[in-house]
Amino acid sequence: MDARIERTRRALQGALLELAHERPFDELSVSLIAERAGVNRSSFYQHYGDRDELLADALDAAAAAAGADAPALELIPTGRPPAGMAHFLTHFADHAELYRRALGPRGSALVAARLRNRVAGLVREGVEHTHSHAFDDMPLELAAAGIAGSIVGVITAWLELDPLPDVDVAGEWVWRMVLGPGDTR
């Protein structure tokens, strides 16, 4: 990608994240975001179709910058979540207000779909890595989609709690949903 395009996209993403910590997302106009980024409205529309597309890219970039890649979801029934689970969930806690908006009832279908797809990919990798036979009688894509939906559902519900429980607690909840109803204690 051209360096100027990348620089403008990063400026817009950073402006959106900064502004979102100052006021609700629904109050952020394209003009305000563009002004904060130091570009004009037409530049915004040269790079993004709307605020939701920018939001999805900004959250993806923030997750990558924070090293918040989800832990490998190796579906080994242990009582403890994978070591990286808390780090993964910290990214959501750091941007809780944006994720509440993006994953909520009037949220961004694009953000939710990207998150589900990313988590489903991690589940597929985990199943393949562990050579699990738990899903041999069904398409792996179906199993990964179901587990990803559960994980995103738990994350969404956790972010709605006030006060927000600690990421370690949320990690335990996510892991219990991944493992299913069996007792792993």
PDB file of all heavy atoms in Angstrom, residues 10 21 43 57 75 77 79 81-82 92 101 106 108 110 121 131 150 162 170 176 181:
ATOM      1  N   ARG A  10      -4.013   5.602   8.968  1.00  0.00           N
ATOM      2  CA  ARG A  10      -3.604   5.565  10.388  1.00  0.00           C
ATOM      3  C   ARG A  10      -4.045   6.828  11.115  1.00  0.00           C
ATOM      4  O   ARG A  10      -4.474   6.764  12.270  1.00  0.00           O
ATOM      5  CB  ARG A  10      -2.097   5.372  10.510  1.00  0.00           C
ATOM      6  CG  ARG A  10      -1.712   3.898  10.502  1.00  0.00           C
ATOM      7  CD  ARG A  10      -0.252   3.691  10.779  1.00  0.00           C
ATOM      8  NE  ARG A  10       0.422   3.959   9.498  1.00  0.00           N
ATOM      9  CZ  ARG A  10       1.545   4.628   9.348  1.00  0.00           C
ATOM     10  NH1 ARG A  10       2.186   5.069  10.376  1.00  0.00           N
ATOM     11  NH2 ARG A  10       2.058   4.836   8.166  1.00  0.00           N
ATOM     12  N   HIS A  21     -12.681   8.265  23.083  1.00  0.00           N
ATOM     13  CA  HIS A  21     -12.409   8.315  24.525  1.00  0.00           C
ATOM     14  C   HIS A  21     -12.892   9.632  25.131  1.00  0.00           C
ATOM     15  O   HIS A  21     -12.962   9.757  26.346  1.00  0.00           O
ATOM     16  CB  HIS A  21     -10.917   8.109  24.797  1.00  0.00           C
ATOM     17  CG  HIS A  21     -10.478   6.695  24.607  1.00  0.00           C
ATOM     18  ND1 HIS A  21     -10.821   5.677  25.472  1.00  0.00           N
ATOM     19  CD2 HIS A  21      -9.747   6.111  23.639  1.00  0.00           C
ATOM     20  CE1 HIS A  21     -10.314   4.539  25.051  1.00  0.00           C
ATOM     21  NE2 HIS A  21      -9.665   4.769  23.927  1.00  0.00           N
ATOM     22  N   SER A  43     -11.067  13.446   1.783  1.00  0.00           N
ATOM     23  CA  SER A  43     -10.019  12.442   2.032  1.00  0.00           C
ATOM     24  C   SER A  43     -10.580  11.266   2.827  1.00  0.00           C
ATOM     25  O   SER A  43     -10.240  10.116   2.573  1.00  0.00           O
ATOM     26  CB  SER A  43      -8.837  13.058   2.779  1.00  0.00           C
ATOM     27  OG  SER A  43      -8.147  13.949   1.953  1.00  0.00           O
ATOM     28  N   ASP A  57     -11.694  -0.937  11.016  1.00  0.00           N
ATOM     29  CA  ASP A  57     -10.250  -0.882  10.759  1.00  0.00           C
ATOM     30  C   ASP A  57      -9.485  -0.366  11.977  1.00  0.00           C
ATOM     31  O   ASP A  57      -8.408  -0.869  12.296  1.00  0.00           O
ATOM     32  CB  ASP A  57      -9.946   0.011   9.557  1.00  0.00           C
ATOM     33  CG  ASP A  57     -10.093  -0.702   8.228  1.00  0.00           C
ATOM     34  OD1 ASP A  57     -10.464  -1.896   8.214  1.00  0.00           O
ATOM     35  OD2 ASP A  57      -9.832  -0.059   7.192  1.00  0.00           O
ATOM     36  N   LEU A  75      -8.483 -26.810  22.028  1.00  0.00           N
ATOM     37  CA  LEU A  75      -9.637 -27.291  22.774  1.00  0.00           C
ATOM     38  C   LEU A  75      -9.293 -28.498  23.639  1.00  0.00           C
ATOM     39  O   LEU A  75      -9.834 -29.577  23.490  1.00  0.00           O
ATOM     40  CB  LEU A  75     -10.781 -27.588  21.801  1.00  0.00           C
ATOM     41  CG  LEU A  75     -11.189 -26.392  20.944  1.00  0.00           C
ATOM     42  CD1 LEU A  75     -12.289 -26.777  19.990  1.00  0.00           C
ATOM     43  CD2 LEU A  75     -11.591 -25.220  21.805  1.00  0.00           C
ATOM     44  N   PRO A  77      -9.519 -29.858  27.302  1.00  0.00           N
ATOM     45  CA  PRO A  77     -10.316 -29.544  28.483  1.00  0.00           C
ATOM     46  C   PRO A  77      -9.482 -29.456  29.764  1.00  0.00           C
ATOM     47  O   PRO A  77      -9.265 -30.439  30.460  1.00  0.00           O
ATOM     48  CB  PRO A  77     -11.337 -30.682  28.546  1.00  0.00           C
ATOM     49  CG  PRO A  77     -10.733 -31.801  27.767  1.00  0.00           C
ATOM     50  CD  PRO A  77      -9.809 -31.177  26.763  1.00  0.00           C
ATOM     51  N   GLY A  79      -8.889 -26.860  33.314  1.00  0.00           N
ATOM     52  CA  GLY A  79      -9.620 -25.906  34.134  1.00  0.00           C
ATOM     53  C   GLY A  79      -9.169 -24.474  33.939  1.00  0.00           C
ATOM     54  O   GLY A  79      -9.822 -23.554  34.418  1.00  0.00           O
ATOM     55  N   PRO A  81      -7.951 -21.178  31.415  1.00  0.00           N
ATOM     56  CA  PRO A  81      -7.924 -20.666  30.046  1.00  0.00           C
ATOM     57  C   PRO A  81      -6.498 -20.578  29.524  1.00  0.00           C
ATOM     58  O   PRO A  81      -5.547 -20.564  30.315  1.00  0.00           O
ATOM     59  CB  PRO A  81      -8.545 -19.275  30.158  1.00  0.00           C
ATOM     60  CG  PRO A  81      -8.694 -18.978  31.601  1.00  0.00           C
ATOM     61  CD  PRO A  81      -8.424 -20.216  32.374  1.00  0.00           C
ATOM     62  N   PRO A  82      -6.311 -20.506  28.219  1.00  0.00           N
ATOM     63  CA  PRO A  82      -4.970 -20.361  27.664  1.00  0.00           C
ATOM     64  C   PRO A  82      -4.269 -19.125  28.238  1.00  0.00           C
ATOM     65  O   PRO A  82      -4.917 -18.139  28.593  1.00  0.00           O
ATOM     66  CB  PRO A  82      -5.210 -20.194  26.162  1.00  0.00           C
ATOM     67  CG  PRO A  82      -6.555 -20.768  25.921  1.00  0.00           C
ATOM     68  CD  PRO A  82      -7.335 -20.565  27.183  1.00  0.00           C
ATOM     69  N   PHE A  92     -10.167  -5.534  24.692  1.00  0.00           N
ATOM     70  CA  PHE A  92     -11.592  -5.210  24.740  1.00  0.00           C
ATOM     71  C   PHE A  92     -11.899  -4.288  25.912  1.00  0.00           C
ATOM     72  O   PHE A  92     -12.686  -3.349  25.781  1.00  0.00           O
ATOM     73  CB  PHE A  92     -12.440  -6.486  24.825  1.00  0.00           C
ATOM     74  CG  PHE A  92     -12.374  -7.313  23.584  1.00  0.00           C
ATOM     75  CD1 PHE A  92     -11.435  -8.321  23.457  1.00  0.00           C
ATOM     76  CD2 PHE A  92     -13.232  -7.071  22.532  1.00  0.00           C
ATOM     77  CE1 PHE A  92     -11.358  -9.074  22.297  1.00  0.00           C
ATOM     78  CE2 PHE A  92     -13.168  -7.825  21.371  1.00  0.00           C
ATOM     79  CZ  PHE A  92     -12.217  -8.827  21.263  1.00  0.00           C
ATOM     80  N   ARG A 101     -20.665  -0.341  21.853  1.00  0.00           N
ATOM     81  CA  ARG A 101     -21.432   0.242  20.764  1.00  0.00           C
ATOM     82  C   ARG A 101     -21.382  -0.663  19.545  1.00  0.00           C
ATOM     83  O   ARG A 101     -22.391  -0.949  18.928  1.00  0.00           O
ATOM     84  CB  ARG A 101     -20.861   1.624  20.441  1.00  0.00           C
ATOM     85  CG  ARG A 101     -21.713   2.420  19.469  1.00  0.00           C
ATOM     86  CD  ARG A 101     -21.150   2.298  18.075  1.00  0.00           C
ATOM     87  NE  ARG A 101     -22.019   2.953  17.109  1.00  0.00           N
ATOM     88  CZ  ARG A 101     -22.232   2.466  15.918  1.00  0.00           C
ATOM     89  NH1 ARG A 101     -21.691   1.345  15.533  1.00  0.00           N
ATOM     90  NH2 ARG A 101     -22.990   3.091  15.070  1.00  0.00           N
ATOM     91  N   ARG A 106     -27.553  -1.986  18.345  1.00  0.00           N
ATOM     92  CA  ARG A 106     -27.542  -1.045  17.216  1.00  0.00           C
ATOM     93  C   ARG A 106     -26.115  -0.874  16.721  1.00  0.00           C
ATOM     94  O   ARG A 106     -25.725   0.177  16.241  1.00  0.00           O
ATOM     95  CB  ARG A 106     -28.130   0.295  17.654  1.00  0.00           C
ATOM     96  CG  ARG A 106     -29.607   0.181  18.007  1.00  0.00           C
ATOM     97  CD  ARG A 106     -30.231   1.471  18.466  1.00  0.00           C
ATOM     98  NE  ARG A 106     -29.862   2.593  17.617  1.00  0.00           N
ATOM     99  CZ  ARG A 106     -29.602   3.807  18.077  1.00  0.00           C
ATOM    100  NH1 ARG A 106     -29.660   4.052  19.368  1.00  0.00           N
ATOM    101  NH2 ARG A 106     -29.282   4.784  17.243  1.00  0.00           N
ATOM    102  N   SER A 108     -22.289  -2.349  14.907  1.00  0.00           N
ATOM    103  CA  SER A 108     -21.702  -2.459  13.574  1.00  0.00           C
ATOM    104  C   SER A 108     -21.635  -3.925  13.151  1.00  0.00           C
ATOM    105  O   SER A 108     -20.878  -4.709  13.732  1.00  0.00           O
ATOM    106  CB  SER A 108     -20.296  -1.861  13.585  1.00  0.00           C
ATOM    107  OG  SER A 108     -19.615  -2.186  12.399  1.00  0.00           O
ATOM    108  N   LEU A 110     -20.250  -4.968  10.582  1.00  0.00           N
ATOM    109  CA  LEU A 110     -18.902  -5.188  10.054  1.00  0.00           C
ATOM    110  C   LEU A 110     -17.923  -5.541  11.170  1.00  0.00           C
ATOM    111  O   LEU A 110     -17.148  -6.492  11.055  1.00  0.00           O
ATOM    112  CB  LEU A 110     -18.422  -3.947   9.295  1.00  0.00           C
ATOM    113  CG  LEU A 110     -17.049  -4.030   8.648  1.00  0.00           C
ATOM    114  CD1 LEU A 110     -16.993  -5.171   7.631  1.00  0.00           C
ATOM    115  CD2 LEU A 110     -16.702  -2.699   7.987  1.00  0.00           C
ATOM    116  N   GLY A 121     -11.429 -18.434  12.948  1.00  0.00           N
ATOM    117  CA  GLY A 121     -10.147 -18.876  12.394  1.00  0.00           C
ATOM    118  C   GLY A 121      -9.227 -19.419  13.474  1.00  0.00           C
ATOM    119  O   GLY A 121      -8.546 -20.434  13.268  1.00  0.00           O
ATOM    120  N   HIS A 131      -5.311 -31.790  16.865  1.00  0.00           N
ATOM    121  CA  HIS A 131      -5.782 -33.013  16.212  1.00  0.00           C
ATOM    122  C   HIS A 131      -6.999 -33.584  16.934  1.00  0.00           C
ATOM    123  O   HIS A 131      -7.169 -34.795  17.029  1.00  0.00           O
ATOM    124  CB  HIS A 131      -4.667 -34.059  16.126  1.00  0.00           C
ATOM    125  CG  HIS A 131      -3.428 -33.540  15.468  1.00  0.00           C
ATOM    126  ND1 HIS A 131      -3.369 -33.232  14.133  1.00  0.00           N
ATOM    127  CD2 HIS A 131      -2.201 -33.236  15.980  1.00  0.00           C
ATOM    128  CE1 HIS A 131      -2.163 -32.773  13.836  1.00  0.00           C
ATOM    129  NE2 HIS A 131      -1.436 -32.756  14.935  1.00  0.00           N
ATOM    130  N   SER A 150     -20.264 -18.157  20.424  1.00  0.00           N
ATOM    131  CA  SER A 150     -20.337 -18.205  21.886  1.00  0.00           C
ATOM    132  C   SER A 150     -19.313 -17.276  22.523  1.00  0.00           C
ATOM    133  O   SER A 150     -19.619 -16.555  23.466  1.00  0.00           O
ATOM    134  CB  SER A 150     -20.105 -19.637  22.383  1.00  0.00           C
ATOM    135  OG  SER A 150     -21.164 -20.467  22.000  1.00  0.00           O
ATOM    136  N   ASP A 162     -21.727  -3.660  34.645  1.00  0.00           N
ATOM    137  CA  ASP A 162     -21.255  -2.460  35.327  1.00  0.00           C
ATOM    138  C   ASP A 162     -21.270  -2.718  36.819  1.00  0.00           C
ATOM    139  O   ASP A 162     -22.338  -2.968  37.375  1.00  0.00           O
ATOM    140  CB  ASP A 162     -22.156  -1.280  34.962  1.00  0.00           C
ATOM    141  CG  ASP A 162     -21.635   0.035  35.496  1.00  0.00           C
ATOM    142  OD1 ASP A 162     -20.427   0.141  35.764  1.00  0.00           O
ATOM    143  OD2 ASP A 162     -22.448   0.972  35.638  1.00  0.00           O
ATOM    144  N   ALA A 170     -13.360 -12.651  33.161  1.00  0.00           N
ATOM    145  CA  ALA A 170     -13.958 -12.806  31.836  1.00  0.00           C
ATOM    146  C   ALA A 170     -13.296 -13.951  31.080  1.00  0.00           C
ATOM    147  O   ALA A 170     -13.972 -14.701  30.367  1.00  0.00           O
ATOM    148  CB  ALA A 170     -13.838 -11.499  31.049  1.00  0.00           C
ATOM    149  N   ARG A 176     -14.991 -21.353  29.907  1.00  0.00           N
ATOM    150  CA  ARG A 176     -16.064 -22.287  30.270  1.00  0.00           C
ATOM    151  C   ARG A 176     -17.030 -22.483  29.118  1.00  0.00           C
ATOM    152  O   ARG A 176     -17.523 -23.591  28.895  1.00  0.00           O
ATOM    153  CB  ARG A 176     -16.791 -21.793  31.522  1.00  0.00           C
ATOM    154  CG  ARG A 176     -15.931 -22.007  32.772  1.00  0.00           C
ATOM    155  CD  ARG A 176     -16.506 -21.412  34.002  1.00  0.00           C
ATOM    156  NE  ARG A 176     -17.781 -22.009  34.367  1.00  0.00           N
ATOM    157  CZ  ARG A 176     -18.554 -21.523  35.327  1.00  0.00           C
ATOM    158  NH1 ARG A 176     -18.184 -20.457  36.009  1.00  0.00           N
ATOM    159  NH2 ARG A 176     -19.689 -22.099  35.610  1.00  0.00           N
ATOM    160  N   PRO A 181     -20.570 -27.650  28.722  1.00  0.00           N
ATOM    161  CA  PRO A 181     -21.166 -27.868  30.036  1.00  0.00           C
ATOM    162  C   PRO A 181     -20.467 -28.891  30.924  1.00  0.00           C
ATOM    163  O   PRO A 181     -20.820 -29.040  32.075  1.00  0.00           O
ATOM    164  CB  PRO A 181     -22.590 -28.332  29.713  1.00  0.00           C
ATOM    165  CG  PRO A 181     -22.460 -28.974  28.375  1.00  0.00           C
ATOM    166  CD  PRO A 181     -21.388 -28.198  27.651  1.00  0.00           C
TER     167      PRO A 181
END
